Coordinates of all heavy atoms in Angstrom, one line a residue:
H152 N 49.1 187.2 -64.6 CA 49.1 187.6 -63.3 C 50.4 188.4 -63.0 O 51.5 188.0 -63.4 CB 49.0 186.4 -62.3 CG 49.1 186.8 -60.9 ND1 48.1 187.4 -60.2 CD2 50.1 186.7 -60.0 CE1 48.4 187.6 -58.9 NE2 49.7 187.2 -58.8
Y153 N 50.3 189.5 -62.3 CA 51.5 190.3 -62.0 C 51.5 190.6 -60.5 O 50.4 191.0 -59.9 CB 51.5 191.6 -62.8 CG 52.6 192.6 -62.5 CD1 53.9 192.3 -62.7 CD2 52.3 193.8 -61.9 CE1 54.9 193.1 -62.4 CE2 53.3 194.7 -61.5 CZ 54.6 194.3 -61.8 OH 55.6 195.2 -61.5
T154 N 52.6 190.5 -59.9 CA 52.7 190.8 -58.4 C 54.0 191.5 -58.1 O 55.0 191.2 -58.7 CB 52.6 189.4 -57.6 OG1 52.6 189.7 -56.2 CG2 53.8 188.5 -57.9
Q155 N 53.9 192.4 -57.1 CA 55.1 193.1 -56.7 C 55.0 193.5 -55.2 O 53.9 193.6 -54.7 CB 55.4 194.4 -57.5 CG 54.3 195.4 -57.4 CD 54.6 196.7 -58.1 OE1 53.7 197.3 -58.7 NE2 55.8 197.0 -58.3
W156 N 56.1 193.7 -54.6 CA 56.1 194.2 -53.2 C 55.9 195.7 -53.3 O 56.6 196.5 -54.0 CB 57.4 194.0 -52.5 CG 57.6 192.6 -52.0 CD1 57.0 192.1 -50.9 CD2 58.3 191.5 -52.6 NE1 57.4 190.7 -50.7 CE2 58.2 190.4 -51.7 CE3 59.1 191.4 -53.7 CZ2 58.8 189.2 -52.0 CZ3 59.7 190.2 -54.0 CH2 59.6 189.1 -53.1
L157 N 55.0 196.2 -52.5 CA 54.7 197.7 -52.5 C 55.5 198.4 -51.5 O 55.7 199.6 -51.7 CB 53.2 197.9 -52.3 CG 52.3 197.4 -53.4 CD1 50.8 197.6 -53.0 CD2 52.6 198.0 -54.7
N158 N 56.0 197.8 -50.4 CA 56.7 198.5 -49.4 C 58.1 198.1 -49.2 O 58.7 198.3 -48.2 CB 55.9 198.3 -48.0 CG 56.0 196.9 -47.6 OD1 56.2 196.0 -48.3 ND2 55.7 196.7 -46.3
Q159 N 58.7 197.4 -50.2 CA 60.1 197.0 -50.2 C 60.9 197.8 -51.1 O 60.5 198.0 -52.3 CB 60.2 195.5 -50.5 CG 59.4 194.6 -49.5 CD 60.0 194.7 -48.1 OE1 61.2 194.6 -47.9 NE2 59.1 194.8 -47.2
R160 N 62.1 198.2 -50.7 CA 63.0 199.0 -51.5 C 64.4 198.4 -51.4 O 64.8 197.8 -50.4 CB 63.0 200.4 -51.1 CG 61.7 201.2 -51.3 CD 61.6 201.6 -52.7 NE 60.3 202.2 -53.0 CZ 59.9 202.8 -54.2 NH1 60.8 202.9 -55.1 NH2 58.7 203.2 -54.4
N161 N 65.3 198.7 -52.4 CA 66.7 198.3 -52.3 C 67.3 199.2 -51.2 O 67.2 200.4 -51.2 CB 67.4 198.6 -53.6 CG 68.8 198.2 -53.6 OD1 69.6 198.8 -53.0 ND2 69.1 197.1 -54.4
K162 N 68.0 198.6 -50.3 CA 68.6 199.3 -49.2 C 69.7 200.3 -49.6 O 69.8 201.3 -48.9 CB 69.2 198.3 -48.1 CG 68.1 197.5 -47.5 CD 68.8 196.5 -46.5 CE 67.7 195.6 -45.8 NZ 68.3 194.7 -44.8
K163 N 70.4 200.0 -50.7 CA 71.4 200.9 -51.1 C 70.9 202.0 -52.0 O 71.3 203.2 -51.9 CB 72.5 200.1 -51.8 CG 73.3 199.1 -50.9 CD 74.3 198.4 -51.7 CE 75.1 197.5 -50.8 NZ 76.2 196.7 -51.6
T164 N 70.1 201.7 -52.9 CA 69.7 202.7 -54.0 C 68.3 203.2 -53.8 O 67.9 204.3 -54.3 CB 69.7 202.0 -55.4 OG1 68.7 201.0 -55.4 CG2 71.1 201.4 -55.6
G165 N 67.4 202.6 -53.0 CA 66.1 203.0 -52.8 C 65.2 202.6 -54.0 O 64.0 202.9 -54.0
G166 N 65.7 201.8 -54.9 CA 65.0 201.4 -56.1 C 63.9 200.3 -55.7 O 64.0 199.7 -54.7

Side-chain angles (χ1 to χ4, degrees):
H152 176 77
Y153 175 66
T154 185
Q155 66 176 145
W156 281 283
L157 296 177
N158 66 341
Q159 300 296 316
R160 295 278 174 174
N161 183 291
K162 293 180 180 178
K163 294 182 179 179
T164 66

